[in-house]
Every structure is written in structure tokens, then in C-alpha cells.
Amino acid sequence: MTRILTIEDDAVTAKEIVAELSSHGLQVDWVDNGREGLVRAVSGDYDLITLDRMLPEVDGLAIVTTMRALGIATPILMISALSDVDERVRGLRAGGDDYLSKPFASDEMAARVEVLLRRSNPVTQAETMLKVADLELNLITREASRAGQPLNLLPTEYKLLEFLMRNSGQIITRMMIFEEVWGYHFDPGTNLIDVHIGRLRKKIDPPTLTPLIRTVRGSGYVIAEPV
């Protein structure tokens, strides 16, 4: 079973994380201080760590930098009430793999964990093709096709489609798309994501074929095999 370590000093937040991730079939251990958290984190016994930025005894950033200095590559989702861009960048530069601001939606937290777990188990060099039903994306030639017909994708459309296909069956939130495709400095208040999803749908989900991209109201988007 996949093991998650949650290092969080706020009991309410910790119980929320544990309950949500446990409902996804993950085994979650919780510690409420940085010193014990660091000892467990460097053990290498966990597949992923959710890490509060501000902790008693040992700070979250210190845990990240210590782990990376020791060559421990366990994926880390940093969670913090410090939500400004500079703090986010500082956490990622220290070695965090993703950064989530408090307060957060439990389903988005779980979605980010699922994505990080998949990233930590990337396709092998022999695997050069992503497939969802009859949709194919060649990672070497960067060419896409649906039902054997080539698709003419713009660079951003390709990046968006690759992100969706690498996480097929997983709900991807708008914020996750914004961060992955456009970066942290893009204004998420615009409709650019909706525009690009709309353009992508026109290309891969024409009226003659069963749609693969679904909108999950209030959550985000998912690409998956037809039900």
C-alpha cells in the first residue's frame, strides 16, 4: 500500500488530510512536530510527504533542504498559510515538488497528491506513447492522433493535452492546469484555460466521436475512456 507521511501541527488540518487521503486507499501517518517529522522523512519509508511550512522545533523548509541534501527524492507537497508568490517560489526552490495554500479544498489536495505520486513513477524510456481510448500522443515526435487521424496541436494545446493524458481518469483542477501549463505568474482569473480546453475539445472530440474530455462541475476537468 502507498504510504503517506503528513507533518502538520494543526490537528484539524491534519485530520482533514488523513481522512481525505485514507478515503483514496492511501495509508497515512501523522506527526505534529518538525523534529519527529524530519526523522521519519529521512527514513525513506514513505512514497510522499505532505509538509506544513510552519512547524514547531524544526521548520518545514529545513526539513525539505535536509532531505534533498541527503539525496532523498521523496515527493513533497508543501502546505502553508503563507500564500504569497515569493513564499511559494521559496518552498519550491528549497526542493518542494508542489505548494498548496491554506485554506484548501480536500479534493484538490488529494488530486495534487495523486499527480505527484504518478510523477514519481514516470513512464520508462521504452514507453513513448500515451493512450486514452483511440487518442494517442507520441512523446518523442510530439504528434497526436484520434481514431487514426492526425491532430494539429499548437504548443500550449500539446502541453495541456499531455498533462491531462498523463493523469487520465484523475480530476485535474483549474489551478493545477494553470500552474503546470502557464506557471505561477499567470492570472488565474482570466478565461484562458476555458478557451484552450474549448479549442482542444474541438480537435479531439468532434461530433462524430465519443467525447473524452469531461468537465467536472466545481472541480475541474478529466480525460478518460468513454463510460
Side-chain angles (χ1 to χ4, degrees):
M1 178 181 289
T2 301
R3 296 188 67 192
I4 309 295
L5 174 63
T6 290
I7 310 175
E8 170 62 64
D9 64 327
D10 179 70
V12 174
T13 301
K15 290 177 181 178
E16 181 181 349
I17 293 172
V18 171
E20 180 67 25
L21 295 183
S22 297
S23 73
H24 289 259
L26 305 174
Q27 178 182 332
V28 189
D29 294 337
W30 166 40
V31 296
D32 62 2
N33 67 86
R35 188 172 301 279
E36 183 182 356
L38 178 58
V39 171
R40 294 209 188 188
V42 300
S43 70
D45 293 337
Y46 294 93
D47 298 287
L48 182 139
I49 298 170
T50 71
L51 176 63
D52 187 22
R53 169 66 173 83
M54 306 296 289
L55 290 165
E57 300 188 42
V58 178
D59 179 74
L61 280 182
I63 293 176
V64 175
T65 54
T66 301
M67 289 178 61
R68 298 317 187 216
L70 293 173
I72 299 171
T74 306
I76 298 173
L77 171 60
M78 300 193 71
I79 300 176
S80 177
L82 304 174
S83 59
D84 62 276
V85 172
D86 289 341
E87 182 61 34
R88 189 183 288 257
V89 170
R90 189 175 298 113
L92 295 175
R93 284 180 176 172
D97 297 278
D98 198 359
Y99 193 102
L100 184 62
S101 299
K102 296 179 181 179
F104 56 84
S106 295
D107 57 351
E108 176 160 0
M109 179 275 300
R112 289 173 181 267
V113 166
E114 294 284 355
V115 169
L116 289 179
L117 287 172
R118 292 191 184 193
R119 282 183 187 170
S120 66
N121 295 286
V123 295
T124 65
Q125 291 184 347
E127 293 177 300
T128 61
M129 191 79 70
L130 297 178
K131 296 187 66 175
V132 177
D134 56 355
L135 174 65
E136 297 184 349
L137 190 66
N138 190 309
L139 302 177
I140 304 300
T141 65
R142 298 176 67 88
E143 295 175 340
S145 65
R146 173 92 198 265
Q149 298 300 311
L151 304 174
N152 183 22
L153 299 179
L154 297 174
T156 301
E157 293 169 349
Y158 174 90
K159 191 173 183 180
L160 176 57
L161 181 59
E162 180 184 358
F163 185 48
L164 290 171
M165 292 183 71
R166 283 188 182 276
N167 299 282
S168 62
Q170 174 70 39
I171 297 174
I172 302 299
T173 68
R174 290 173 53 85
M175 184 60 69
M176 292 167 70
I177 293 173
F178 143 59
E179 292 171 357
E180 178 73 19
V181 179
W182 282 277
Y184 287 104
H185 298 292
F186 174 73
D187 179 7
T190 72
N191 68 343
L192 196 58
I193 291 176
D194 305 285
V195 169
H196 278 78
I197 288 287
R199 289 175 178 171
L200 199 55
R201 274 184 164 137
K202 287 182 180 179
K203 294 181 178 182
I204 75 169
D205 288 338
T208 55
L209 297 176
T210 303
L212 299 179
I213 297 178
R214 292 188 293 109
T215 299
V216 182
R217 186 175 296 276
S219 296
Y221 303 96
V222 61
I223 190 168
E225 301 268 353
V227 178

